[in-house]
Amino acid sequence: MLIARLSPRVAEQIAAGEVIERPASVVKELLENSLDAGATEVAVTLKDGGKSLIEVLDNGSGIHAEDLPLAVERHATSKLRAIDDLETLHTLGFRGEALASIGAVSSLQIISRVKATAGLEPASAHEIRLDHSTRELSQATATPATFGHFLGSSHGTRLRAEGLFSQIPARLKFLKSAGSELSQIREWMERLALSHPEVGFKLQSDDRVILNLRPQSIEERIRTVVADGEDFPIQHAEVLREGGLKLKAYWVQGMSLPHTRSLIQLVNGRALRDRLIQQAMLQPFRQSLLPGKFPALVAYLELDPRELDVNVHPTKSEIRFLDSRKIFTAFDEALGRLIQQHGAVAYVGGASSLGSSNVTNASHPSGMDVPFYSAAPHSPGMARSSDWLPQAAQTSLELQPQPFRLSESASVDVTNPEAPVPAQTFGNPALQAFRPENYLGILFRTYLAFDLGDELGLIDQHAAHERIRYEQLKLRALKRAQNSDVQNLLIPEVVRFDESRSASLESRLPVLENLGFHSEVFGPGQLLVRSIPPEWGNVELRIHLKNLVERLLGLELSGTTGVEQLFLDERLFEKLASEACRSSVRAGDRVDSWSARALVEQLGTCEHPWNCPHGRPTTARVPKARFEEWFQRIV
Ligand code: ADP
Ligand code: MG
């Protein structure tokens, strides 16, 4: 006989591996329990990065003495009775596995006291212990305990897990140093703290206080936890959709990080690390950040529990959505609006010890609602605001009778009266403060300086011009393709695709056609491409066409973004970006004040004015408060 039943103890230890990977998983499960129990304060105490001790103390509703032995049994829960309850779930836990799993891989002690019910004698605290080596309850029933300190409350729970994996060498050896386990614990705790700003969280490790968060407003909590208390502006957008979907996004503007740890996803109060959501969070920033840099964003997504399946991942950190498109478009709208309104402006905050409020306000210079150029003197070579604002959509490229022209190469003529400019980005509101009358001059022959009232505004002349040139070149390329100004291929290219996608591909061919790729499905799983847009070029054409077809099949075609993504592959992007770079004014080039103003004006019409094509910022702001600090005007 080869197959043998595992002993209950081994089976239990194996099963626990699904839920409990490391100290951070214990902390996460225990904190989720505390939050489910309605705690308003929780305190975590660690020894040796959680390896020798993890203690979680809360002032939640507590566990009844007779329930204590059940709480540590697998598949025993107070949160769900029937499978259908998953559809209306409002708790973080539901499987009844966490305490059993923790008990299987460490020694567990629970002391709890329930909230007194009106008219009844207050219950006393009770205790239960689960011995790790025997996996036996030390006593079948809970024993009375004297313990009165549930964070100043008469009721609550204290759980202690000691010697995690100490009986399981195969798992113990995968634990990292105490410091690295601690930082993972801290990360999860911060996520949960963001999901419940109204709850106080304390983390103490080997007698060092690591976190001490009093109950806060959402914004305060985000500033404390994500922005490390620094005075970055926190921008906020909200999107509502039918069916009760609500997305609240908070963006710590100006923070750009070399990792994705500050992309926080909270879905129905649950801290997740879901790939789909992460993608949805990053997509709108594609144009605004350098490669390898990520924004700091906290997204609160609420939706009907029936529209998601939380039961697809052992640690519940990934979920499945019924309608993932709806999620994507909600993110697109909310984050798009944030970037649109506030810009991805580099912000000179950070190193300050200033209180947060004054500088946060400074990100909305008082003059900002005055329309761009409203007070500009009318002068030849510069359109007056009244000529300029109303016909927004058609004029951006022709609006300079005397275009911004600095060097030979910079004057490539891309003037095209028909070129469409997305109306909503016209005269970008956040750039309106950079009005000509606020122009001060040029610093270091590179930075155009503006007095914004409460801030010094700076524009990098090269980065800004690059952005303008890039958008012009892109528009021209797109326009040419759409006007069927195409390059016919001498020998048509055959691109293979998954035959089962034939119908889907065929229905999308008009999109390709419209971009200058004249093509037809010509055999099973074969697409014949007869022409390409002239900018595409012939090098490794087949590979690029194959990628195009894959993009076409995978793309959510919504509005113009999708179409542009199709057209603009990495290679064409690089080509246009480097052409834009070559034909732009450089740092150190002399720029006269008219050109400087024209540059800002044109930047204001760009779709993504905040960064050069490769993601370097075009603008930066230094709050007045920073100057006051330098000159010690602030006491
Ligand atoms: P689940 O959270 O999935 O129900 P757990 O194993 O985490 O499963 O917890 C089992 C049960 O123990 C919970 O359903 C809850 O009734 C109780 N419980 C656990 N921790 C606490 C706590 N801190 N406060 C109150 N009740 C708790
Ligand atoms: Mg639980």
Side-chain angles (χ1 to χ4, degrees):
M1 192 169 105
L2 294 173
I3 300 180
R5 286 203 177 85
L6 294 174
S7 75
R9 180 165 173 230
V10 175
E12 194 57 58
Q13 288 173 331
I14 299 256
E18 295 253 293
V19 187
I20 302 303
E21 259 176 293
R22 50 185 352 106
S25 356
V26 177
V27 173
K28 170 180 177 280
E29 291 295 338
L30 295 183
L31 286 177
E32 287 188 350
N33 281 345
S34 299
L35 293 171
D36 280 344
T40 59
E41 246 178 280
V42 289
V44 177
T45 307
L46 307 172
K47 285 217 173 92
D48 196 19
K51 289 192 263 187
S52 38
L53 170 76
I54 298 169
E55 177 190 294
V56 174
L57 177 62
D58 70 44
N59 63 355
S61 53
I63 308 171
H64 286 280
E66 63 274 23
D67 279 346
L68 273 171
L70 261 182
V72 295
E73 246 178 57
R74 186 167 292 274
H75 309 307
T77 176
S78 59
K79 303 170 191 176
L80 176 134
R81 290 285 180 265
I83 193 68
D84 288 347
D85 294 345
L86 272 178
E87 302 233 40
T88 50
L89 195 70
H90 286 286
T91 52
L92 300 169
F94 54 87
R95 293 203 187 110
E97 272 183 338
L99 296 188
S101 300
I102 296 168
V105 293
S106 66
S107 290
L108 186 63
Q109 179 207 31
I110 309 177
I111 296 181
S112 196
R113 185 161 186 250
V114 288
K115 213 171 181 164
T117 9
L120 289 180
E121 189 77 354
S124 58
H126 276 77
E127 174 186 345
I128 201 169
R129 282 170 193 267
L130 199 58
D131 186 333
H132 185 194
S133 43
T134 55
R135 243 210 61 69
E136 296 281 313
L137 283 172
S138 54
Q139 256 136 351
T141 53
T143 52
T146 42
F147 190 83
H149 305 287
F150 297 99
L151 300 165
S153 147
S154 63
H155 54 86
T157 304
R158 189 188 78 176
L159 285 107
R160 308 183 104 202
E162 283 176 278
L164 184 68
F165 300 146
S166 61
Q167 309 278 323
I168 313 173
R171 304 208 51 204
L172 187 64
K173 69 176 183 213
F174 281 99
L175 293 187
K176 303 222 169 78
S177 69
S180 135
E181 295 297 342
L182 172 63
S183 69
Q184 295 199 37
I185 289 171
R186 179 185 176 149
E187 217 179 290
W188 267 112
M189 199 158 165
E190 289 181 338
R191 285 165 194 270
L192 289 163
L194 286 164
S195 77
H196 287 271
E198 76 288 356
V199 175
F201 287 79
K202 189 165 177 182
L203 171 63
Q204 211 167 330
S205 171
D206 298 323
D207 300 325
R208 226 163 25 104
V209 176
I210 310 285
L211 275 181
N212 194 0
L213 302 166
R214 308 306 312 150
Q216 291 170 303
S217 71
I218 290 187
E219 293 210 4
E220 283 170 345
R221 177 72 41 107
I222 291 174
R223 182 175 307 286
T224 316
V225 171
V226 182
D228 292 326
E230 300 291 3
D231 54 10
F232 292 102
I234 294 176
Q235 312 293 5
H236 162 232
E238 197 166 312
V239 164
L240 294 171
R241 288 285 148 82
E242 75 283 7
L245 182 146
K246 181 162 154 191
L247 172 65
K248 285 195 285 180
Y250 291 82
W251 175 36
V252 185
Q253 189 182 5
M255 267 190 112
S256 95
L257 301 160
H259 55 75
T260 54
R261 288 200 293 277
S262 294
L263 291 167
I264 314 275
Q265 327 167 351
L266 304 164
V267 179
N268 287 359
R270 193 181 291 282
L272 301 179
R273 291 197 110 157
D274 189 86
R275 263 166 293 185
L276 175 96
I277 300 183
Q278 175 147 327
Q279 232 182 313
M281 288 172 95
L282 284 176
Q283 177 69 23
F285 283 89
R286 245 170 34 112
Q287 278 289 326
S288 327
L289 287 165
L290 286 167
K293 294 281 185 186
F294 302 94
L297 262 181
V298 186
Y300 295 83
L301 184 66
E302 277 167 41
L303 68 174
D304 189 324
R306 273 172 297 210
E307 295 201 22
L308 50 90
D309 187 354
V310 289
N311 193 20
V312 292
H313 194 270
T315 64
K316 301 169 284 177
S317 61
E318 286 189 21
I319 53 179
R320 204 156 41 199
F321 293 104
L322 204 56
D323 183 356
S324 52
R325 229 192 111 168
K326 194 154 108 181
I327 310 293
F328 246 99
T329 58
F331 272 97
D332 226 40
E333 187 185 326
L335 304 182
R337 209 193 299 153
L338 279 180
I339 297 171
Q340 165 71 26
Q341 281 173 358
H342 306 287
V345 184
Y347 205 83
V348 186
S352 161
S353 54
L354 284 179
S356 49
S357 55
N358 45 358
V359 185
T360 313
N361 294 338
S363 73
H364 307 283
S366 46
M368 227 170 81
D369 39 3
V370 185
F372 198 42
Y373 274 80
S374 61
H378 180 49
S379 60
M382 185 71 92
R384 226 179 11 183
S385 60
S386 51
D387 309 337
W388 202 63
L389 287 164
Q391 325 104 348
Q394 338 81 1
T395 50
S396 98
L397 295 182
E398 53 155 13
L399 81 127
Q400 269 72 40
Q402 172 198 317
F404 180 58
R405 200 180 287 249
L406 284 148
S407 59
E408 271 313 295
S409 54
S411 65
V412 180
D413 176 30
V414 292
T415 305
N416 180 352
E418 280 116 22
V421 169
Q424 84 278 8
T425 57
F426 174 78
N428 197 299
L431 261 178
Q432 285 178 5
F434 291 78
R435 287 190 302 274
E437 72 270 26
N438 295 338
Y439 179 64
L440 298 172
I442 298 190
L443 299 178
F444 316 126
R445 284 184 159 197
T446 303
Y447 308 104
L448 319 183
F450 291 79
D451 180 348
L452 308 184
D454 289 334
E455 295 171 314
L456 172 69
L458 297 168
I459 292 185
D460 179 317
Q461 64 185 38
H462 175 64
H465 197 204
E466 237 184 329
R467 163 53 62 187
I468 296 166
R469 295 283 307 136
Y470 170 74
E471 292 202 3
Q472 288 172 337
L473 292 167
K474 186 182 73 183
L475 216 56
R476 180 177 66 171
L478 206 58
K479 199 76 201 163
R480 273 179 75 179
Q482 285 169 343
N483 287 342
S484 289
D485 182 358
V486 299
Q487 176 191 339
N488 289 312
L489 298 172
L490 278 178
I491 307 160
E493 282 287 351
V494 177
V495 183
R496 291 176 196 285
F497 63 93
D498 177 0
E499 216 185 310
S500 67
R501 312 289 308 271
S502 218
S504 162
L505 183 63
E506 259 182 294
S507 70
R508 291 172 169 219
L509 283 187
V511 181
L512 278 194
E513 178 94 21
N514 191 31
L515 288 173
F517 302 92
H518 298 169
S519 56
E520 64 196 281
V521 173
F522 124 108
Q526 294 190 4
L527 183 76
L528 192 72
V529 182
R530 297 187 190 282
S531 76
I532 56 171
E535 277 78 9
W536 257 54
N538 282 332
V539 187
E540 294 182 329
L541 183 58
R542 174 116 43 109
I543 297 169
H544 289 281
L545 287 172
K546 170 73 179 152
N547 290 340
L548 173 74
V549 169
E550 291 304 319
R551 281 204 301 285
L552 180 66
L553 285 170
L555 201 70
E556 297 281 3
L557 286 167
S558 63
T560 49
T561 346
V563 171
E564 202 174 279
Q565 273 175 43
L566 262 188
F567 180 70
L568 207 65
D569 65 352
E570 298 87 356
R571 186 179 52 157
L572 184 55
F573 166 81
E574 275 309 328
K575 191 171 154 185
L576 297 181
S578 70
E579 194 176 334
C581 179
R582 268 201 314 278
S583 61
S584 293
V585 54
R586 320 216 137 253
D589 286 351
R590 279 205 185 281
V591 174
D592 64 49
S593 68
W594 276 118
S595 305
R597 294 166 194 195
L599 183 82
V600 185
E601 184 178 3
Q602 291 189 16
L603 187 63
T605 67
C606 284
E607 198 181 348
H608 296 286
W610 307 111
N611 299 80
C612 83
H614 286 110
R616 282 202 310 110
T618 54
T619 36
R621 289 169 164 182
V622 189
K624 183 178 164 197
R626 192 65 72 253
F627 288 80
E628 291 173 335
E629 214 176 0
W630 292 338
F631 293 99
Q632 301 187 3
R633 282 173 173 276
I634 291 182
V635 278

